[in-house]
Amino acid sequence: MNDTVVTVVGNVATGVEFRESATGGVARFRFAVSARRWDRQKETWADGPTSFYTVCAWRTLGANLAASVSVGEPLVVHGRLRVREEERDGQRRTFVDIDALAVGHDMTRGTSAFRRVVRATPSSTERHGAATQGQEAVPRAARAESAGQARQVQGQLSVPGADPGGREEPVGVGAGAGA
């Protein structure tokens, strides 16, 4: 099967909704992408039309997204493009979705603090069962627990070089940097 794989840069337009399903958790959110073009006549940058996509992320990626992403944050989304048509109220509508393979903050527009998710070590029966079913070997309860812990920590970690009072300090300056 030939998939159309895309990478889009934009902003989170809605809150991330995370739901558990039979195949693992799934996160969904709307993603806004606006093209910026140079206007030669006005000699300024101008926003073009905005395209909206529904982004779906499954299993661990979905749980991590729900714990890490808020409305308005700039992201880079890489995934499979799906275009579908539905009829609603007698009108035919087209929807464009992206099944995310990888998502990250757009580092050209800010900083981010990465935190690795700590997972429980699965028993040999869980590993064997997951391997035969083609699923990851992390129990659903552990995924939900780690997503909950990440949500709890969100906003409590500081960015290197900034203090809680909002004053910025260069990285490597101040206490703990040999001073």
PDB file of all heavy atoms in Angstrom, residues 83-117:
ATOM      1  N   VAL A  83      -7.574  11.500   3.323  1.00  0.00           N
ATOM      2  CA  VAL A  83      -8.655  12.386   2.909  1.00  0.00           C
ATOM      3  C   VAL A  83      -9.916  11.537   2.840  1.00  0.00           C
ATOM      4  O   VAL A  83      -9.926  10.476   2.217  1.00  0.00           O
ATOM      5  CB  VAL A  83      -8.362  13.028   1.534  1.00  0.00           C
ATOM      6  CG1 VAL A  83      -9.517  13.916   1.105  1.00  0.00           C
ATOM      7  CG2 VAL A  83      -7.063  13.807   1.587  1.00  0.00           C
ATOM      8  N   ARG A  84     -10.973  11.997   3.509  1.00  0.00           N
ATOM      9  CA  ARG A  84     -12.225  11.232   3.498  1.00  0.00           C
ATOM     10  C   ARG A  84     -13.390  12.173   3.226  1.00  0.00           C
ATOM     11  O   ARG A  84     -13.315  13.362   3.534  1.00  0.00           O
ATOM     12  CB  ARG A  84     -12.421  10.469   4.800  1.00  0.00           C
ATOM     13  CG  ARG A  84     -12.419  11.329   6.028  1.00  0.00           C
ATOM     14  CD  ARG A  84     -12.419  10.497   7.318  1.00  0.00           C
ATOM     15  NE  ARG A  84     -12.199  11.370   8.451  1.00  0.00           N
ATOM     16  CZ  ARG A  84     -13.142  12.014   9.100  1.00  0.00           C
ATOM     17  NH1 ARG A  84     -14.409  11.878   8.740  1.00  0.00           N
ATOM     18  NH2 ARG A  84     -12.862  12.801  10.109  1.00  0.00           N
ATOM     19  N   GLU A  85     -14.421  11.614   2.629  1.00  0.00           N
ATOM     20  CA  GLU A  85     -15.621  12.388   2.338  1.00  0.00           C
ATOM     21  C   GLU A  85     -16.796  11.772   3.074  1.00  0.00           C
ATOM     22  O   GLU A  85     -16.921  10.548   3.154  1.00  0.00           O
ATOM     23  CB  GLU A  85     -15.892  12.409   0.840  1.00  0.00           C
ATOM     24  CG  GLU A  85     -14.855  13.187   0.066  1.00  0.00           C
ATOM     25  CD  GLU A  85     -15.206  13.302  -1.409  1.00  0.00           C
ATOM     26  OE1 GLU A  85     -16.345  12.982  -1.795  1.00  0.00           O
ATOM     27  OE2 GLU A  85     -14.319  13.729  -2.163  1.00  0.00           O
ATOM     28  N   GLU A  86     -17.637  12.623   3.633  1.00  0.00           N
ATOM     29  CA  GLU A  86     -18.830  12.185   4.345  1.00  0.00           C
ATOM     30  C   GLU A  86     -19.988  13.054   3.923  1.00  0.00           C
ATOM     31  O   GLU A  86     -19.812  14.189   3.503  1.00  0.00           O
ATOM     32  CB  GLU A  86     -18.637  12.312   5.857  1.00  0.00           C
ATOM     33  CG  GLU A  86     -17.639  11.362   6.440  1.00  0.00           C
ATOM     34  CD  GLU A  86     -17.539  11.508   7.954  1.00  0.00           C
ATOM     35  OE1 GLU A  86     -18.359  12.236   8.563  1.00  0.00           O
ATOM     36  OE2 GLU A  86     -16.625  10.900   8.524  1.00  0.00           O
ATOM     37  N   GLU A  87     -21.182  12.488   4.055  1.00  0.00           N
ATOM     38  CA  GLU A  87     -22.377  13.259   3.766  1.00  0.00           C
ATOM     39  C   GLU A  87     -23.072  13.557   5.087  1.00  0.00           C
ATOM     40  O   GLU A  87     -23.412  12.650   5.845  1.00  0.00           O
ATOM     41  CB  GLU A  87     -23.311  12.489   2.836  1.00  0.00           C
ATOM     42  CG  GLU A  87     -24.413  13.364   2.303  1.00  0.00           C
ATOM     43  CD  GLU A  87     -25.144  12.713   1.144  1.00  0.00           C
ATOM     44  OE1 GLU A  87     -24.475  12.069   0.319  1.00  0.00           O
ATOM     45  OE2 GLU A  87     -26.365  12.871   1.091  1.00  0.00           O
ATOM     46  N   ARG A  88     -23.240  14.847   5.371  1.00  0.00           N
ATOM     47  CA  ARG A  88     -23.899  15.279   6.604  1.00  0.00           C
ATOM     48  C   ARG A  88     -24.975  16.284   6.242  1.00  0.00           C
ATOM     49  O   ARG A  88     -24.716  17.269   5.549  1.00  0.00           O
ATOM     50  CB  ARG A  88     -22.898  15.946   7.561  1.00  0.00           C
ATOM     51  CG  ARG A  88     -21.917  14.984   8.171  1.00  0.00           C
ATOM     52  CD  ARG A  88     -21.102  15.692   9.233  1.00  0.00           C
ATOM     53  NE  ARG A  88     -20.099  14.790   9.771  1.00  0.00           N
ATOM     54  CZ  ARG A  88     -19.195  15.137  10.633  1.00  0.00           C
ATOM     55  NH1 ARG A  88     -19.132  16.382  11.063  1.00  0.00           N
ATOM     56  NH2 ARG A  88     -18.312  14.265  11.079  1.00  0.00           N
ATOM     57  N   ASP A  89     -26.159  16.040   6.714  1.00  0.00           N
ATOM     58  CA  ASP A  89     -27.295  16.937   6.466  1.00  0.00           C
ATOM     59  C   ASP A  89     -27.486  17.212   4.978  1.00  0.00           C
ATOM     60  O   ASP A  89     -27.763  18.344   4.563  1.00  0.00           O
ATOM     61  CB  ASP A  89     -27.124  18.259   7.228  1.00  0.00           C
ATOM     62  CG  ASP A  89     -27.007  18.054   8.729  1.00  0.00           C
ATOM     63  OD1 ASP A  89     -27.664  17.124   9.246  1.00  0.00           O
ATOM     64  OD2 ASP A  89     -26.265  18.822   9.366  1.00  0.00           O
ATOM     65  N   GLY A  90     -27.294  16.186   4.162  1.00  0.00           N
ATOM     66  CA  GLY A  90     -27.501  16.322   2.736  1.00  0.00           C
ATOM     67  C   GLY A  90     -26.370  17.011   1.987  1.00  0.00           C
ATOM     68  O   GLY A  90     -26.468  17.214   0.783  1.00  0.00           O
ATOM     69  N   GLN A  91     -25.300  17.365   2.692  1.00  0.00           N
ATOM     70  CA  GLN A  91     -24.157  18.015   2.039  1.00  0.00           C
ATOM     71  C   GLN A  91     -22.937  17.113   2.122  1.00  0.00           C
ATOM     72  O   GLN A  91     -22.670  16.496   3.146  1.00  0.00           O
ATOM     73  CB  GLN A  91     -23.829  19.353   2.714  1.00  0.00           C
ATOM     74  CG  GLN A  91     -24.882  20.405   2.526  1.00  0.00           C
ATOM     75  CD  GLN A  91     -24.413  21.736   3.110  1.00  0.00           C
ATOM     76  OE1 GLN A  91     -23.453  21.803   3.837  1.00  0.00           O
ATOM     77  NE2 GLN A  91     -25.138  22.795   2.766  1.00  0.00           N
ATOM     78  N   ARG A  92     -22.219  17.060   1.029  1.00  0.00           N
ATOM     79  CA  ARG A  92     -20.984  16.273   0.973  1.00  0.00           C
ATOM     80  C   ARG A  92     -19.839  17.123   1.511  1.00  0.00           C
ATOM     81  O   ARG A  92     -19.623  18.243   1.058  1.00  0.00           O
ATOM     82  CB  ARG A  92     -20.700  15.859  -0.467  1.00  0.00           C
ATOM     83  CG  ARG A  92     -19.712  14.762  -0.594  1.00  0.00           C
ATOM     84  CD  ARG A  92     -20.141  13.866  -1.778  1.00  0.00           C
ATOM     85  NE  ARG A  92     -19.325  12.702  -1.906  1.00  0.00           N
ATOM     86  CZ  ARG A  92     -19.522  11.580  -1.222  1.00  0.00           C
ATOM     87  NH1 ARG A  92     -20.505  11.503  -0.360  1.00  0.00           N
ATOM     88  NH2 ARG A  92     -18.746  10.542  -1.418  1.00  0.00           N
ATOM     89  N   ARG A  93     -19.111  16.597   2.498  1.00  0.00           N
ATOM     90  CA  ARG A  93     -18.010  17.333   3.118  1.00  0.00           C
ATOM     91  C   ARG A  93     -16.722  16.533   3.024  1.00  0.00           C
ATOM     92  O   ARG A  93     -16.740  15.304   3.074  1.00  0.00           O
ATOM     93  CB  ARG A  93     -18.319  17.621   4.586  1.00  0.00           C
ATOM     94  CG  ARG A  93     -19.570  18.495   4.713  1.00  0.00           C
ATOM     95  CD  ARG A  93     -19.825  18.904   6.115  1.00  0.00           C
ATOM     96  NE  ARG A  93     -18.703  19.709   6.596  1.00  0.00           N
ATOM     97  CZ  ARG A  93     -18.612  20.180   7.818  1.00  0.00           C
ATOM     98  NH1 ARG A  93     -19.565  19.941   8.685  1.00  0.00           N
ATOM     99  NH2 ARG A  93     -17.572  20.889   8.189  1.00  0.00           N
ATOM    100  N   THR A  94     -15.608  17.222   2.887  1.00  0.00           N
ATOM    101  CA  THR A  94     -14.298  16.589   2.802  1.00  0.00           C
ATOM    102  C   THR A  94     -13.521  16.881   4.079  1.00  0.00           C
ATOM    103  O   THR A  94     -13.487  18.023   4.551  1.00  0.00           O
ATOM    104  CB  THR A  94     -13.512  17.126   1.591  1.00  0.00           C
ATOM    105  OG1 THR A  94     -14.278  16.877   0.410  1.00  0.00           O
ATOM    106  CG2 THR A  94     -12.168  16.448   1.466  1.00  0.00           C
ATOM    107  N   PHE A  95     -12.905  15.847   4.649  1.00  0.00           N
ATOM    108  CA  PHE A  95     -12.108  15.975   5.864  1.00  0.00           C
ATOM    109  C   PHE A  95     -10.703  15.482   5.568  1.00  0.00           C
ATOM    110  O   PHE A  95     -10.510  14.496   4.867  1.00  0.00           O
ATOM    111  CB  PHE A  95     -12.708  15.138   7.001  1.00  0.00           C
ATOM    112  CG  PHE A  95     -14.085  15.568   7.395  1.00  0.00           C
ATOM    113  CD1 PHE A  95     -15.200  14.993   6.807  1.00  0.00           C
ATOM    114  CD2 PHE A  95     -14.278  16.554   8.342  1.00  0.00           C
ATOM    115  CE1 PHE A  95     -16.481  15.383   7.160  1.00  0.00           C
ATOM    116  CE2 PHE A  95     -15.553  16.958   8.693  1.00  0.00           C
ATOM    117  CZ  PHE A  95     -16.654  16.373   8.105  1.00  0.00           C
ATOM    118  N   VAL A  96      -9.714  16.170   6.110  1.00  0.00           N
ATOM    119  CA  VAL A  96      -8.322  15.782   5.925  1.00  0.00           C
ATOM    120  C   VAL A  96      -7.747  15.452   7.299  1.00  0.00           C
ATOM    121  O   VAL A  96      -7.755  16.294   8.198  1.00  0.00           O
ATOM    122  CB  VAL A  96      -7.509  16.898   5.241  1.00  0.00           C
ATOM    123  CG1 VAL A  96      -6.090  16.440   5.001  1.00  0.00           C
ATOM    124  CG2 VAL A  96      -8.170  17.312   3.934  1.00  0.00           C
ATOM    125  N   ASP A  97      -7.274  14.226   7.452  1.00  0.00           N
ATOM    126  CA  ASP A  97      -6.729  13.738   8.714  1.00  0.00           C
ATOM    127  C   ASP A  97      -5.261  13.381   8.539  1.00  0.00           C
ATOM    128  O   ASP A  97      -4.816  13.045   7.437  1.00  0.00           O
ATOM    129  CB  ASP A  97      -7.470  12.481   9.185  1.00  0.00           C
ATOM    130  CG  ASP A  97      -8.960  12.708   9.382  1.00  0.00           C
ATOM    131  OD1 ASP A  97      -9.369  13.856   9.622  1.00  0.00           O
ATOM    132  OD2 ASP A  97      -9.711  11.719   9.300  1.00  0.00           O
ATOM    133  N   ILE A  98      -4.532  13.421   9.633  1.00  0.00           N
ATOM    134  CA  ILE A  98      -3.154  12.952   9.653  1.00  0.00           C
ATOM    135  C   ILE A  98      -3.034  11.935  10.773  1.00  0.00           C
ATOM    136  O   ILE A  98      -3.334  12.248  11.933  1.00  0.00           O
ATOM    137  CB  ILE A  98      -2.154  14.106   9.890  1.00  0.00           C
ATOM    138  CG1 ILE A  98      -2.253  15.138   8.773  1.00  0.00           C
ATOM    139  CG2 ILE A  98      -0.725  13.562  10.000  1.00  0.00           C
ATOM    140  CD1 ILE A  98      -1.429  16.388   9.012  1.00  0.00           C
ATOM    141  N   ASP A  99      -2.627  10.709  10.423  1.00  0.00           N
ATOM    142  CA  ASP A  99      -2.301   9.696  11.429  1.00  0.00           C
ATOM    143  C   ASP A  99      -0.844   9.918  11.796  1.00  0.00           C
ATOM    144  O   ASP A  99       0.066   9.582  11.027  1.00  0.00           O
ATOM    145  CB  ASP A  99      -2.511   8.281  10.889  1.00  0.00           C
ATOM    146  CG  ASP A  99      -3.980   7.922  10.768  1.00  0.00           C
ATOM    147  OD1 ASP A  99      -4.781   8.470  11.543  1.00  0.00           O
ATOM    148  OD2 ASP A  99      -4.315   7.099   9.908  1.00  0.00           O
ATOM    149  N   ALA A 100      -0.608  10.499  12.966  1.00  0.00           N
ATOM    150  CA  ALA A 100       0.728  10.934  13.355  1.00  0.00           C
ATOM    151  C   ALA A 100       1.666   9.758  13.594  1.00  0.00           C
ATOM    152  O   ALA A 100       1.298   8.771  14.229  1.00  0.00           O
ATOM    153  CB  ALA A 100       0.652  11.795  14.602  1.00  0.00           C
ATOM    154  N   LEU A 101       2.867   9.892  13.065  1.00  0.00           N
ATOM    155  CA  LEU A 101       3.953   8.953  13.323  1.00  0.00           C
ATOM    156  C   LEU A 101       4.952   9.565  14.302  1.00  0.00           C
ATOM    157  O   LEU A 101       5.564   8.864  15.094  1.00  0.00           O
ATOM    158  CB  LEU A 101       4.668   8.591  12.018  1.00  0.00           C
ATOM    159  CG  LEU A 101       3.798   7.952  10.941  1.00  0.00           C
ATOM    160  CD1 LEU A 101       4.569   7.824   9.643  1.00  0.00           C
ATOM    161  CD2 LEU A 101       3.302   6.593  11.413  1.00  0.00           C
ATOM    162  N   ALA A 102       5.117  10.883  14.237  1.00  0.00           N
ATOM    163  CA  ALA A 102       6.015  11.617  15.129  1.00  0.00           C
ATOM    164  C   ALA A 102       5.504  13.049  15.264  1.00  0.00           C
ATOM    165  O   ALA A 102       5.011  13.636  14.297  1.00  0.00           O
ATOM    166  CB  ALA A 102       7.435  11.619  14.578  1.00  0.00           C
ATOM    167  N   VAL A 103       5.618  13.602  16.463  1.00  0.00           N
ATOM    168  CA  VAL A 103       5.175  14.970  16.728  1.00  0.00           C
ATOM    169  C   VAL A 103       6.194  15.606  17.668  1.00  0.00           C
ATOM    170  O   VAL A 103       6.670  14.970  18.600  1.00  0.00           O
ATOM    171  CB  VAL A 103       3.778  14.999  17.404  1.00  0.00           C
ATOM    172  CG1 VAL A 103       3.355  16.421  17.733  1.00  0.00           C
ATOM    173  CG2 VAL A 103       2.741  14.319  16.533  1.00  0.00           C
ATOM    174  N   GLY A 104       6.513  16.863  17.419  1.00  0.00           N
ATOM    175  CA  GLY A 104       7.425  17.574  18.310  1.00  0.00           C
ATOM    176  C   GLY A 104       7.131  19.051  18.305  1.00  0.00           C
ATOM    177  O   GLY A 104       6.479  19.571  17.393  1.00  0.00           O
ATOM    178  N   HIS A 105       7.605  19.731  19.333  1.00  0.00           N
ATOM    179  CA  HIS A 105       7.459  21.180  19.372  1.00  0.00           C
ATOM    180  C   HIS A 105       8.350  21.803  18.302  1.00  0.00           C
ATOM    181  O   HIS A 105       9.433  21.300  18.016  1.00  0.00           O
ATOM    182  CB  HIS A 105       7.848  21.719  20.752  1.00  0.00           C
ATOM    183  CG  HIS A 105       6.799  21.482  21.784  1.00  0.00           C
ATOM    184  ND1 HIS A 105       6.921  20.525  22.757  1.00  0.00           N
ATOM    185  CD2 HIS A 105       5.597  22.074  21.981  1.00  0.00           C
ATOM    186  CE1 HIS A 105       5.839  20.538  23.526  1.00  0.00           C
ATOM    187  NE2 HIS A 105       5.020  21.471  23.067  1.00  0.00           N
ATOM    188  N   ASP A 106       7.888  22.904  17.723  1.00  0.00           N
ATOM    189  CA  ASP A 106       8.657  23.635  16.722  1.00  0.00           C
ATOM    190  C   ASP A 106       9.680  24.484  17.464  1.00  0.00           C
ATOM    191  O   ASP A 106       9.361  25.533  18.020  1.00  0.00           O
ATOM    192  CB  ASP A 106       7.712  24.509  15.886  1.00  0.00           C
ATOM    193  CG  ASP A 106       8.423  25.272  14.789  1.00  0.00           C
ATOM    194  OD1 ASP A 106       9.662  25.176  14.699  1.00  0.00           O
ATOM    195  OD2 ASP A 106       7.731  25.962  14.028  1.00  0.00           O
ATOM    196  N   MET A 107      10.922  24.024  17.463  1.00  0.00           N
ATOM    197  CA  MET A 107      11.978  24.659  18.241  1.00  0.00           C
ATOM    198  C   MET A 107      12.445  25.992  17.650  1.00  0.00           C
ATOM    199  O   MET A 107      13.194  26.707  18.286  1.00  0.00           O
ATOM    200  CB  MET A 107      13.162  23.701  18.398  1.00  0.00           C
ATOM    201  CG  MET A 107      12.781  22.370  19.044  1.00  0.00           C
ATOM    202  SD  MET A 107      11.988  22.548  20.647  1.00  0.00           S
ATOM    203  CE  MET A 107      13.391  22.988  21.608  1.00  0.00           C
ATOM    204  N   THR A 108      11.986  26.345  16.449  1.00  0.00           N
ATOM    205  CA  THR A 108      12.325  27.662  15.906  1.00  0.00           C
ATOM    206  C   THR A 108      11.517  28.754  16.596  1.00  0.00           C
ATOM    207  O   THR A 108      11.828  29.924  16.456  1.00  0.00           O
ATOM    208  CB  THR A 108      12.061  27.742  14.385  1.00  0.00           C
ATOM    209  OG1 THR A 108      10.673  27.543  14.140  1.00  0.00           O
ATOM    210  CG2 THR A 108      12.894  26.734  13.629  1.00  0.00           C
ATOM    211  N   ARG A 109      10.488  28.360  17.346  1.00  0.00           N
ATOM    212  CA  ARG A 109       9.599  29.349  17.959  1.00  0.00           C
ATOM    213  C   ARG A 109       9.619  29.334  19.478  1.00  0.00           C
ATOM    214  O   ARG A 109       8.839  30.030  20.117  1.00  0.00           O
ATOM    215  CB  ARG A 109       8.184  29.121  17.433  1.00  0.00           C
ATOM    216  CG  ARG A 109       8.204  29.303  15.918  1.00  0.00           C
ATOM    217  CD  ARG A 109       6.923  29.315  15.210  1.00  0.00           C
ATOM    218  NE  ARG A 109       5.797  29.900  15.876  1.00  0.00           N
ATOM    219  CZ  ARG A 109       4.553  29.449  15.692  1.00  0.00           C
ATOM    220  NH1 ARG A 109       4.319  28.434  14.893  1.00  0.00           N
ATOM    221  NH2 ARG A 109       3.558  30.024  16.303  1.00  0.00           N
ATOM    222  N   GLY A 110      10.483  28.507  20.080  1.00  0.00           N
ATOM    223  CA  GLY A 110      10.544  28.478  21.539  1.00  0.00           C
ATOM    224  C   GLY A 110      11.383  27.324  22.036  1.00  0.00           C
ATOM    225  O   GLY A 110      12.031  26.625  21.254  1.00  0.00           O
ATOM    226  N   THR A 111      11.366  27.133  23.350  1.00  0.00           N
ATOM    227  CA  THR A 111      12.121  26.045  23.968  1.00  0.00           C
ATOM    228  C   THR A 111      11.163  24.993  24.486  1.00  0.00           C
ATOM    229  O   THR A 111       9.968  25.240  24.656  1.00  0.00           O
ATOM    230  CB  THR A 111      12.987  26.556  25.131  1.00  0.00           C
ATOM    231  OG1 THR A 111      12.134  27.116  26.131  1.00  0.00           O
ATOM    232  CG2 THR A 111      13.989  27.590  24.669  1.00  0.00           C
ATOM    233  N   SER A 112      11.701  23.830  24.771  1.00  0.00           N
ATOM    234  CA  SER A 112      10.904  22.724  25.281  1.00  0.00           C
ATOM    235  C   SER A 112      11.787  21.902  26.208  1.00  0.00           C
ATOM    236  O   SER A 112      13.005  21.862  26.029  1.00  0.00           O
ATOM    237  CB  SER A 112      10.411  21.870  24.110  1.00  0.00           C
ATOM    238  OG  SER A 112       9.542  20.869  24.557  1.00  0.00           O
ATOM    239  N   ALA A 113      11.209  21.255  27.196  1.00  0.00           N
ATOM    240  CA  ALA A 113      11.963  20.406  28.114  1.00  0.00           C
ATOM    241  C   ALA A 113      11.479  18.973  27.937  1.00  0.00           C
ATOM    242  O   ALA A 113      10.326  18.655  28.231  1.00  0.00           O
ATOM    243  CB  ALA A 113      11.768  20.862  29.550  1.00  0.00           C
ATOM    244  N   PHE A 114      12.339  18.097  27.470  1.00  0.00           N
ATOM    245  CA  PHE A 114      11.986  16.706  27.224  1.00  0.00           C
ATOM    246  C   PHE A 114      12.099  15.901  28.512  1.00  0.00           C
ATOM    247  O   PHE A 114      13.046  16.053  29.272  1.00  0.00           O
ATOM    248  CB  PHE A 114      12.920  16.113  26.155  1.00  0.00           C
ATOM    249  CG  PHE A 114      12.634  14.673  25.851  1.00  0.00           C
ATOM    250  CD1 PHE A 114      11.594  14.327  25.013  1.00  0.00           C
ATOM    251  CD2 PHE A 114      13.391  13.665  26.405  1.00  0.00           C
ATOM    252  CE1 PHE A 114      11.311  13.006  24.732  1.00  0.00           C
ATOM    253  CE2 PHE A 114      13.128  12.336  26.135  1.00  0.00           C
ATOM    254  CZ  PHE A 114      12.088  12.007  25.292  1.00  0.00           C
ATOM    255  N   ARG A 115      11.118  15.049  28.775  1.00  0.00           N
ATOM    256  CA  ARG A 115      11.129  14.136  29.911  1.00  0.00           C
ATOM    257  C   ARG A 115      10.813  12.744  29.395  1.00  0.00           C
ATOM    258  O   ARG A 115       9.742  12.519  28.840  1.00  0.00           O
ATOM    259  CB  ARG A 115      10.099  14.561  30.960  1.00  0.00           C
ATOM    260  CG  ARG A 115      10.463  15.842  31.660  1.00  0.00           C
ATOM    261  CD  ARG A 115       9.378  16.315  32.596  1.00  0.00           C
ATOM    262  NE  ARG A 115       8.076  16.548  31.963  1.00  0.00           N
ATOM    263  CZ  ARG A 115       7.763  17.629  31.255  1.00  0.00           C
ATOM    264  NH1 ARG A 115       8.638  18.576  31.065  1.00  0.00           N
ATOM    265  NH2 ARG A 115       6.564  17.773  30.744  1.00  0.00           N
ATOM    266  N   ARG A 116      11.737  11.818  29.580  1.00  0.00           N
ATOM    267  CA  ARG A 116      11.529  10.443  29.152  1.00  0.00           C
ATOM    268  C   ARG A 116      10.473   9.793  30.044  1.00  0.00           C
ATOM    269  O   ARG A 116      10.482   9.968  31.258  1.00  0.00           O
ATOM    270  CB  ARG A 116      12.845   9.665  29.236  1.00  0.00           C
ATOM    271  CG  ARG A 116      12.791   8.309  28.582  1.00  0.00           C
ATOM    272  CD  ARG A 116      14.162   7.671  28.523  1.00  0.00           C
ATOM    273  NE  ARG A 116      15.118   8.451  27.747  1.00  0.00           N
ATOM    274  CZ  ARG A 116      15.226   8.403  26.427  1.00  0.00           C
ATOM    275  NH1 ARG A 116      14.424   7.642  25.731  1.00  0.00           N
ATOM    276  NH2 ARG A 116      16.134   9.127  25.804  1.00  0.00           N
ATOM    277  N   VAL A 117       9.554   9.034  29.451  1.00  0.00           N
ATOM    278  CA  VAL A 117       8.509   8.343  30.198  1.00  0.00           C
ATOM    279  C   VAL A 117       9.106   7.086  30.807  1.00  0.00           C
ATOM    280  O   VAL A 117       9.747   6.293  30.114  1.00  0.00           O
ATOM    281  CB  VAL A 117       7.321   7.976  29.271  1.00  0.00           C
ATOM    282  CG1 VAL A 117       6.289   7.167  30.027  1.00  0.00           C
ATOM    283  CG2 VAL A 117       6.704   9.235  28.697  1.00  0.00           C
TER     284      VAL A 117
END
